[in-house]
Amino acid sequence: MCLATVAKVLEVDSDRGTAWVDFGGVKREARIDLMPDVKVGEYVLIHTGFIIERVDEKTAKEILNAWEEVFRVEEDAIGGYYYPGD
Amino acid sequence: MAIEEVVHPYRDRTIAQKLVGKIKEEAKTLDGEIRIMHVCGTHEDTITRSGIRSLLPENVKVVSGPGCPVCITPVEDIVAMQLIMRKAREEGEDIILTTFGDMYKIPTPMGSFADLKSEGYDVRVVYSIFDTYRIAKENPEETVVHFSPGFETTTAPTAGMINAVVNEKLENFKIYSVHRLTPQGIEVLIKQRSMIDALIDAGHVSTIIGVKGWEFLSEKYGIPQVIAGFEPNDVLLAILLLIKMYKEGDARVVNEYKRAVRYEGNVVAQRLIDKYFKVVDAKWRALGVFPGTGLELRDEWKELDIKNIYKVEVPKDLPDLEKGCLCGAVLRGLAMPTDCPHFGKTCTPRHPVGPCMVSYEGTCQIFYKYGVLF
């Protein structure tokens, strides 16, 4: 039920309260009631036809770069204490 | 940025092997065993599909909690909705009922919504409550009801849609809310001594409620929590972090799923939920009544609630489960599907005996699908 899928915003129609989004080829209309300020080009999470959050591209990339760091530093594994980016 | 670029390392085998190595190392100095509960059907899917349990040391147990909202939707509510459909027809008004695909098939002693459809009632499976809204617009003369299950992730879209319906004064759109609150439900399980040492928090519930929505569980009960994403390495990392936190007595909430979860959550969604819903005591199927865990429409929006339009009497003492069905224990994390005498024999996704075998989020269906039995 709480499955959500990443999609890219193609077009926003604030009057209608919807956006057209692209799930890697499949295009659908999604509601923007929960994220009214969403913008074209952003990656978002869609749950049951509603945009529920932006996917933070920058954090995602930082965390990916931190993986290497995690395994290099044996003693304080997982970013000093727990998690890279914390 | 392509989506694959982000997801790939979270599925990378080398990283997974390193994480498993670290988990094994950490588990060696554990005092006894650790029971980690997750509360999301999608996490169960990741864990079972990736074979994560088979990679963990003996003293690290990952159990599945009540992370399937359609599984815990009370029999009484499904039956009440069916009776509302029948009563409306007797009074000369046909209702169009919409719900999600797995809810449609959930069995009760008085049949499922699918059975109701086979009797000629207008029951439609939808992907989104937005579809219900469209159906209501296309059929202005008919009452359209969405039977609405789900945790916070799904409650937020319901609240968003109701907000649009209220603004547009769309009068034939109604709901039947069986929404539930996740952390508050877990709190009841903790109070009932359900043997939970640590929690993997549901990623997309957290998208809505934020890190802050879980904090009271750590503060009140000293339980470490990690909000995790849904790729195998997300879950492995959560397990590693939880073992370390548990050993050090570090009870707080760590957000592993930063790419989609903020500390404060989705504030717009929280405001909409609060505007339209009030918290009530609610039954969880096979688990009992959990105080302060259900959501009903507030009194000022009662005309949107189909229960206030048709009053029906639900027969008393309807059994939650078929004899022998272990769905209740599975939802508490006290039994594995393979412990159930029905599993894989009398109970399969094609002929489900209990709700945990119906939903694609049900632990029994996930175990069956990925061949745990074979």
Side-chain angles (χ1 to χ4, degrees), chain B residues 78-189:
Chain B
I78 303 170
V79 169
M81 187 64 236
Q82 294 175 358
L83 294 175
I84 288 171
M85 296 285 281
R86 292 182 196 282
K87 189 166 185 188
R89 178 169 284 187
E90 280 165 22
E91 293 178 9
E93 197 203 2
D94 261 341
I95 289 177
I96 301 175
L97 174 68
T98 67
T99 197
F100 300 119
D102 43 2
M103 192 71 246
Y104 178 72
K105 293 181 288 182
I106 294 284
T108 79
M110 295 177 72
S112 64
F113 289 135
D115 295 326
L116 196 68
K117 174 146 181 147
S118 69
E119 286 181 45
Y121 287 88
D122 194 345
V123 186
R124 306 185 191 181
V125 171
V126 290
Y127 153 76
S128 164
I129 196 169
F130 184 30
D131 297 332
T132 312
Y133 163 90
R134 284 194 270 225
I135 294 169
K137 282 204 138 180
E138 286 159 13
N139 299 275
E141 301 304 319
E142 291 183 70
T143 300
V144 181
V145 181
H146 184 63
F147 188 83
S148 200
F151 295 130
E152 291 83 346
T153 330
T154 318
T155 311
T158 306
M161 203 68 258
I162 288 174
N163 193 50
V165 161
V166 167
N167 290 341
E168 292 175 32
K169 300 187 174 59
L170 186 63
E171 284 179 3
N172 62 329
F173 178 102
K174 313 284 172 197
I175 68 161
Y176 189 122
S177 168
V178 277
H179 288 296
R180 295 288 181 268
L181 298 168
T182 317
Q184 286 74 9
I186 304 307
E187 182 178 21
V188 176
L189 286 185

Side-chain angles (χ1 to χ4, degrees), chain A residues 1-8 16 18 22-24 28-31 33-36 43 45-57 59-61 63-64 67-68 70-71 73-75 77-78 81-86, chain B residues 1 3 5-6 9-10 15 18-19 22 42 69-70 100 102 127-130 133-134 149 153-154 156-157 160-161 164 204-205 207-208 233 237 240-241 244-245 248 250 252 254-256 258-260 262 266 268-269 272 360-361:
Chain A
M1 186 67 67
C2 295
L3 185 72
T5 317
V6 178
K8 189 177 182 177
R16 250 176 88 77
T18 61
D22 180 359
F23 296 90
R28 277 195 76 120
E29 194 181 16
R31 298 286 309 184
D33 309 72
L34 308 173
M35 191 114 298
Y43 285 89
L45 271 178
I46 313 265
H47 170 74
T48 63
F50 283 67
I51 296 176
I52 58 166
E53 188 54 278
R54 289 182 178 82
V55 180
D56 185 346
E57 200 180 328
T59 311
K61 276 189 175 164
I63 287 173
L64 294 182
W67 280 107
E68 277 309 303
V70 167
F71 295 114
V73 188
E74 201 57 32
E75 186 38 42
I78 320 301
Y81 189 39
Y82 285 124
Y83 197 65
D86 247 343
Chain B
M1 177 189 73
I3 292 163
E5 239 179 84
V6 170
Y10 292 93
I15 293 173
K18 286 181 181 172
L19 284 168
K22 287 199 174 294
T42 314
V70 307
F100 300 119
D102 43 2
Y127 153 76
S128 164
I129 196 169
F130 184 30
Y133 163 90
R134 284 194 270 225
T153 330
T154 318
M161 203 68 258
H204 295 139
V205 165
T207 299
I208 303 298
N233 289 343
L237 184 55
L240 174 60
L241 295 176
K244 286 172 79 112
M245 290 164 81
E248 292 170 22
D250 180 20
R252 61 187 173 113
V254 170
N255 181 10
E256 187 275 336
K258 282 193 174 156
R259 58 195 191 273
R262 288 179 287 155
N266 184 329
V268 175
L272 286 170
Y360 65 87
E361 289 209 304

Side-chain angles (χ1 to χ4, degrees), chain A residues 13-41:
Chain A
D13 184 342
S14 298
D15 295 338
R16 250 176 88 77
T18 61
W20 277 92
V21 297
D22 180 359
F23 296 90
V26 178
K27 295 179 180 61
R28 277 195 76 120
E29 194 181 16
R31 298 286 309 184
I32 60 167
D33 309 72
L34 308 173
M35 191 114 298
D37 57 346
V38 74
K39 292 185 181 58
V40 171

